[in-house]
Amino acid sequence: MTNLHTELKESIIEQLNLEDMDPADISNDEPLFGDGLGLDSIDALELIVLLEKDYGIKLTDPAQGKEIFVSINQMAQFIEENRTK
Amino acid sequence: MSNQFHIQNWVKIKNGKIFNSEKLIFDSSEKELNFFLKACYDFLDLKYPKFHKMDGLSKMGILASEIIFRKNKPTEDTALVISNNASSLEIDRQFQESTETFASPSLFVYTLPNIVLGEISIKYKLQSENAFFVSEDFNAKLLKDYTESLLISGKSHQVLSGWIDLQNGEYDVFLCLVSKERNIPFSEENLRKLYCAENDKPTH
């Protein structure tokens, strides 16, 4: 697991107020929405804000989120390829 | 008509204390709002992760209603009639601050006072009438009249009614469950008496 994976898990826990969770509770390939982490549509919007705030990535099409926010692995890969900070 | 309805159970949350029908059930020295809310959550052993995502007003509503509904199970038609002075001002300010950098969607969704009614309805699976009033002070007449109209019309068999106010980190909560079951007569005088009991002063 890279630093980015850990950093992402910590940010998600803090940003989405997942109070009772630790980074170790989130596996890299676990689905973030639905049966996995159980995030909802407002959480998806917060993740879009997180991408812009922390990594300088502005999603022009919110539908992109569906492909990016599949799992921590998917998010980390997208960030590596597109980050501006 | 008078005394047709009764207050079955009531809860007050203020100044670090929770009273349930006159009995002090929780007393915390925690001054900071979020720590106090978390302490209440732990005390009630809520196990409701969504709680942590809510604004202070909704958290107050969930905590107070949980205390009442543990003793008196709600039904699908249990109505909600809540009021306060500050509306959703506390979270409105937080959202306003967030817009200076990145506007927060999760703060935005709580920028209406009646969201607390939705959160209570979701948690207890209520499909009932609800109303949220913003008034200068605790208005016993308004709460009595609206609550009674719901009960008399038969739209609800019981109503959770009261006041949930939050401003500048200070909270003032009084909720009571009203139905036909005999207990404390549901009157303006009794509402005022129960609300004012232990109340040093309102939050505004």
mmCIF file of all heavy atoms in Angstrom, chain A residues 16-20 39 42-43 45-46 49 52-53, chain B residues 38 41 49-50 52-53 102-107 109:
data_model
loop_
_atom_site.group_PDB
_atom_site.id
_atom_site.type_symbol
_atom_site.label_atom_id
_atom_site.label_comp_id
_atom_site.label_asym_id
_atom_site.label_seq_id
_atom_site.Cartn_x
_atom_site.Cartn_y
_atom_site.Cartn_z
ATOM 1 N N LEU A 16 -15.589 12.726 5.395
ATOM 2 C CA LEU A 16 -16.956 12.196 5.373
ATOM 3 C C LEU A 16 -17.454 11.822 6.767
ATOM 4 O O LEU A 16 -18.502 11.189 6.911
ATOM 5 C CB LEU A 16 -17.033 10.977 4.437
ATOM 6 C CG LEU A 16 -16.509 11.187 3.008
ATOM 7 C CD1 LEU A 16 -16.772 9.965 2.159
ATOM 8 C CD2 LEU A 16 -17.140 12.422 2.371
ATOM 9 N N ASN A 17 -16.700 12.207 7.793
ATOM 10 C CA ASN A 17 -17.110 11.943 9.186
ATOM 11 C C ASN A 17 -17.444 10.482 9.443
ATOM 12 O O ASN A 17 -18.485 10.161 10.026
ATOM 13 C CB ASN A 17 -18.314 12.815 9.563
ATOM 14 C CG ASN A 17 -17.961 14.278 9.591
ATOM 15 O OD1 ASN A 17 -16.940 14.667 10.171
ATOM 16 N ND2 ASN A 17 -18.761 15.091 8.939
ATOM 17 N N LEU A 18 -16.557 9.596 8.990
ATOM 18 C CA LEU A 18 -16.755 8.164 9.248
ATOM 19 C C LEU A 18 -16.135 7.853 10.621
ATOM 20 O O LEU A 18 -15.118 7.173 10.733
ATOM 21 C CB LEU A 18 -16.116 7.322 8.137
ATOM 22 C CG LEU A 18 -16.569 7.669 6.722
ATOM 23 C CD1 LEU A 18 -15.833 6.828 5.688
ATOM 24 C CD2 LEU A 18 -18.070 7.482 6.560
ATOM 25 N N GLU A 19 -16.780 8.416 11.620
ATOM 26 C CA GLU A 19 -16.257 8.476 12.988
ATOM 27 C C GLU A 19 -15.721 7.146 13.530
ATOM 28 O O GLU A 19 -14.680 7.104 14.167
ATOM 29 C CB GLU A 19 -17.389 8.961 13.906
ATOM 30 C CG GLU A 19 -16.977 9.258 15.314
ATOM 31 C CD GLU A 19 -16.563 10.714 15.479
ATOM 32 O OE1 GLU A 19 -16.711 11.487 14.527
ATOM 33 O OE2 GLU A 19 -16.092 11.038 16.553
ATOM 34 N N ASP A 20 -16.443 6.076 13.296
ATOM 35 C CA ASP A 20 -16.073 4.806 13.926
ATOM 36 C C ASP A 20 -15.107 3.969 13.081
ATOM 37 O O ASP A 20 -14.925 2.786 13.346
ATOM 38 C CB ASP A 20 -17.337 3.980 14.216
ATOM 39 C CG ASP A 20 -18.276 4.737 15.143
ATOM 40 O OD1 ASP A 20 -17.757 5.494 15.983
ATOM 41 O OD2 ASP A 20 -19.498 4.592 15.011
ATOM 42 N N LEU A 39 -21.168 4.631 1.182
ATOM 43 C CA LEU A 39 -21.252 6.083 1.014
ATOM 44 C C LEU A 39 -22.508 6.449 0.212
ATOM 45 O O LEU A 39 -23.058 5.611 -0.509
ATOM 46 C CB LEU A 39 -19.994 6.599 0.292
ATOM 47 C CG LEU A 39 -18.657 6.271 0.963
ATOM 48 C CD1 LEU A 39 -17.508 6.947 0.214
ATOM 49 C CD2 LEU A 39 -18.641 6.675 2.425
ATOM 50 N N ILE A 42 -24.302 12.479 -1.326
ATOM 51 C CA ILE A 42 -23.653 13.677 -0.773
ATOM 52 C C ILE A 42 -22.169 13.405 -0.552
ATOM 53 O O ILE A 42 -21.318 14.268 -0.771
ATOM 54 C CB ILE A 42 -24.325 14.114 0.561
ATOM 55 C CG1 ILE A 42 -25.812 14.372 0.357
ATOM 56 C CG2 ILE A 42 -23.638 15.352 1.132
ATOM 57 C CD1 ILE A 42 -26.128 15.449 -0.655
ATOM 58 N N ASP A 43 -21.858 12.177 -0.124
ATOM 59 C CA ASP A 43 -20.448 11.801 0.037
ATOM 60 C C ASP A 43 -19.718 11.899 -1.303
ATOM 61 O O ASP A 43 -18.554 12.304 -1.363
ATOM 62 C CB ASP A 43 -20.332 10.369 0.577
ATOM 63 C CG ASP A 43 -20.883 10.238 1.989
ATOM 64 O OD1 ASP A 43 -20.726 11.188 2.768
ATOM 65 O OD2 ASP A 43 -21.463 9.187 2.305
ATOM 66 N N LEU A 45 -20.310 13.952 -3.692
ATOM 67 C CA LEU A 45 -20.013 15.371 -3.942
ATOM 68 C C LEU A 45 -18.820 15.828 -3.099
ATOM 69 O O LEU A 45 -17.970 16.594 -3.559
ATOM 70 C CB LEU A 45 -21.243 16.238 -3.629
ATOM 71 C CG LEU A 45 -22.448 16.022 -4.541
ATOM 72 C CD1 LEU A 45 -23.654 16.802 -4.039
ATOM 73 C CD2 LEU A 45 -22.125 16.446 -5.973
ATOM 74 N N GLU A 46 -18.754 15.332 -1.858
ATOM 75 C CA GLU A 46 -17.616 15.689 -0.993
ATOM 76 C C GLU A 46 -16.308 15.131 -1.569
ATOM 77 O O GLU A 46 -15.258 15.760 -1.451
ATOM 78 C CB GLU A 46 -17.819 15.149 0.431
ATOM 79 C CG GLU A 46 -18.805 15.946 1.270
ATOM 80 C CD GLU A 46 -18.308 17.339 1.663
ATOM 81 O OE1 GLU A 46 -17.118 17.636 1.494
ATOM 82 O OE2 GLU A 46 -19.145 18.131 2.124
ATOM 83 N N VAL A 49 -15.113 17.430 -4.203
ATOM 84 C CA VAL A 49 -14.464 18.594 -3.567
ATOM 85 C C VAL A 49 -13.060 18.213 -3.095
ATOM 86 O O VAL A 49 -12.097 18.968 -3.259
ATOM 87 C CB VAL A 49 -15.318 19.103 -2.376
ATOM 88 C CG1 VAL A 49 -14.567 20.175 -1.587
ATOM 89 C CG2 VAL A 49 -16.645 19.676 -2.875
ATOM 90 N N GLU A 52 -10.433 18.194 -5.826
ATOM 91 C CA GLU A 52 -10.011 19.532 -6.231
ATOM 92 C C GLU A 52 -9.149 20.199 -5.161
ATOM 93 O O GLU A 52 -8.097 20.786 -5.460
ATOM 94 C CB GLU A 52 -11.243 20.398 -6.534
ATOM 95 C CG GLU A 52 -10.845 21.750 -7.099
ATOM 96 C CD GLU A 52 -12.035 22.584 -7.552
ATOM 97 O OE1 GLU A 52 -13.171 22.095 -7.521
ATOM 98 O OE2 GLU A 52 -11.804 23.751 -7.919
ATOM 99 N N LYS A 53 -9.590 20.084 -3.917
ATOM 100 C CA LYS A 53 -8.914 20.776 -2.814
ATOM 101 C C LYS A 53 -7.517 20.209 -2.560
ATOM 102 O O LYS A 53 -6.554 20.938 -2.406
ATOM 103 C CB LYS A 53 -9.786 20.607 -1.548
ATOM 104 C CG LYS A 53 -9.372 21.479 -0.397
ATOM 105 C CD LYS A 53 -10.430 21.499 0.709
ATOM 106 C CE LYS A 53 -10.663 20.113 1.270
ATOM 107 N NZ LYS A 53 -11.578 20.113 2.417
ATOM 108 N N LYS B 38 -21.117 13.906 21.175
ATOM 109 C CA LYS B 38 -20.498 12.587 21.072
ATOM 110 C C LYS B 38 -20.637 11.826 22.402
ATOM 111 O O LYS B 38 -20.881 10.612 22.419
ATOM 112 C CB LYS B 38 -19.014 12.747 20.676
ATOM 113 C CG LYS B 38 -18.222 11.457 20.570
ATOM 114 C CD LYS B 38 -18.693 10.611 19.398
ATOM 115 C CE LYS B 38 -17.736 9.501 19.031
ATOM 116 N NZ LYS B 38 -17.508 8.507 20.059
ATOM 117 N N TYR B 41 -24.067 10.505 22.517
ATOM 118 C CA TYR B 41 -24.156 9.375 21.579
ATOM 119 C C TYR B 41 -23.608 8.101 22.234
ATOM 120 O O TYR B 41 -24.228 7.038 22.177
ATOM 121 C CB TYR B 41 -23.364 9.731 20.317
ATOM 122 C CG TYR B 41 -23.265 8.643 19.267
ATOM 123 C CD1 TYR B 41 -24.243 8.499 18.281
ATOM 124 C CD2 TYR B 41 -22.175 7.775 19.234
ATOM 125 C CE1 TYR B 41 -24.141 7.525 17.306
ATOM 126 C CE2 TYR B 41 -22.069 6.792 18.257
ATOM 127 C CZ TYR B 41 -23.049 6.672 17.302
ATOM 128 O OH TYR B 41 -22.943 5.697 16.334
ATOM 129 N N PRO B 49 -24.145 5.212 12.574
ATOM 130 C CA PRO B 49 -23.029 5.969 11.983
ATOM 131 C C PRO B 49 -23.451 7.258 11.281
ATOM 132 O O PRO B 49 -22.698 8.231 11.250
ATOM 133 C CB PRO B 49 -22.423 4.983 10.983
ATOM 134 C CG PRO B 49 -22.812 3.636 11.485
ATOM 135 C CD PRO B 49 -24.153 3.808 12.151
ATOM 136 N N LYS B 50 -24.662 7.277 10.722
ATOM 137 C CA LYS B 50 -25.127 8.482 10.022
ATOM 138 C C LYS B 50 -25.164 9.697 10.961
ATOM 139 O O LYS B 50 -25.073 10.837 10.511
ATOM 140 C CB LYS B 50 -26.522 8.205 9.447
ATOM 141 C CG LYS B 50 -26.966 9.177 8.405
ATOM 142 C CD LYS B 50 -28.231 8.698 7.721
ATOM 143 C CE LYS B 50 -28.597 9.598 6.567
ATOM 144 N NZ LYS B 50 -29.222 10.840 6.975
ATOM 145 N N HIS B 52 -22.958 10.860 12.847
ATOM 146 C CA HIS B 52 -21.726 11.647 12.801
ATOM 147 C C HIS B 52 -21.672 12.596 11.610
ATOM 148 O O HIS B 52 -20.868 13.512 11.565
ATOM 149 C CB HIS B 52 -20.506 10.728 12.780
ATOM 150 C CG HIS B 52 -20.493 9.772 13.933
ATOM 151 N ND1 HIS B 52 -20.434 10.186 15.233
ATOM 152 C CD2 HIS B 52 -20.578 8.417 13.978
ATOM 153 C CE1 HIS B 52 -20.464 9.129 16.027
ATOM 154 N NE2 HIS B 52 -20.544 8.058 15.296
ATOM 155 N N LYS B 53 -22.530 12.355 10.619
ATOM 156 C CA LYS B 53 -22.533 13.206 9.427
ATOM 157 C C LYS B 53 -23.499 14.373 9.578
ATOM 158 O O LYS B 53 -23.547 15.257 8.736
ATOM 159 C CB LYS B 53 -22.940 12.387 8.204
ATOM 160 C CG LYS B 53 -21.931 11.328 7.813
ATOM 161 C CD LYS B 53 -22.524 10.424 6.744
ATOM 162 C CE LYS B 53 -21.542 9.357 6.345
ATOM 163 N NZ LYS B 53 -20.743 9.739 5.175
ATOM 164 N N PHE B 102 -13.890 26.020 -0.416
ATOM 165 C CA PHE B 102 -14.642 25.030 -1.195
ATOM 166 C C PHE B 102 -15.985 24.796 -0.506
ATOM 167 O O PHE B 102 -16.020 24.287 0.614
ATOM 168 C CB PHE B 102 -13.865 23.712 -1.284
ATOM 169 C CG PHE B 102 -12.611 23.820 -2.094
ATOM 170 C CD1 PHE B 102 -11.408 24.159 -1.492
ATOM 171 C CD2 PHE B 102 -12.633 23.614 -3.466
ATOM 172 C CE1 PHE B 102 -10.240 24.279 -2.237
ATOM 173 C CE2 PHE B 102 -11.470 23.729 -4.223
ATOM 174 C CZ PHE B 102 -10.276 24.063 -3.608
ATOM 175 N N ALA B 103 -17.073 25.182 -1.149
ATOM 176 C CA ALA B 103 -18.398 25.010 -0.553
ATOM 177 C C ALA B 103 -18.643 23.534 -0.249
ATOM 178 O O ALA B 103 -18.448 22.681 -1.103
ATOM 179 C CB ALA B 103 -19.458 25.533 -1.512
ATOM 180 N N SER B 104 -19.048 23.257 0.978
ATOM 181 C CA SER B 104 -19.208 21.862 1.387
ATOM 182 C C SER B 104 -20.629 21.356 1.135
ATOM 183 O O SER B 104 -21.583 21.852 1.744
ATOM 184 C CB SER B 104 -18.887 21.734 2.871
ATOM 185 O OG SER B 104 -19.348 20.486 3.348
ATOM 186 N N PRO B 105 -20.797 20.354 0.257
ATOM 187 C CA PRO B 105 -22.134 19.805 0.013
ATOM 188 C C PRO B 105 -22.760 19.222 1.278
ATOM 189 O O PRO B 105 -23.958 19.341 1.496
ATOM 190 C CB PRO B 105 -21.884 18.688 -1.007
ATOM 191 C CG PRO B 105 -20.566 19.000 -1.621
ATOM 192 C CD PRO B 105 -19.764 19.694 -0.561
ATOM 193 N N SER B 106 -21.929 18.608 2.126
ATOM 194 C CA SER B 106 -22.498 17.951 3.311
ATOM 195 C C SER B 106 -22.955 18.961 4.365
ATOM 196 O O SER B 106 -23.802 18.648 5.191
ATOM 197 C CB SER B 106 -21.505 16.958 3.913
ATOM 198 O OG SER B 106 -20.315 17.611 4.258
ATOM 199 N N LEU B 107 -22.416 20.178 4.322
ATOM 200 C CA LEU B 107 -22.947 21.226 5.201
ATOM 201 C C LEU B 107 -24.202 21.821 4.573
ATOM 202 O O LEU B 107 -25.188 22.087 5.244
ATOM 203 C CB LEU B 107 -21.902 22.335 5.420
ATOM 204 C CG LEU B 107 -20.637 21.961 6.196
ATOM 205 C CD1 LEU B 107 -19.712 23.180 6.322
ATOM 206 C CD2 LEU B 107 -20.963 21.435 7.586
ATOM 207 N N VAL B 109 -26.542 20.555 2.791
ATOM 208 C CA VAL B 109 -27.801 19.800 2.897
ATOM 209 C C VAL B 109 -28.503 20.000 4.244
ATOM 210 O O VAL B 109 -29.665 19.650 4.386
ATOM 211 C CB VAL B 109 -27.614 18.285 2.646
ATOM 212 C CG1 VAL B 109 -27.233 18.017 1.219
ATOM 213 C CG2 VAL B 109 -26.595 17.680 3.603
#
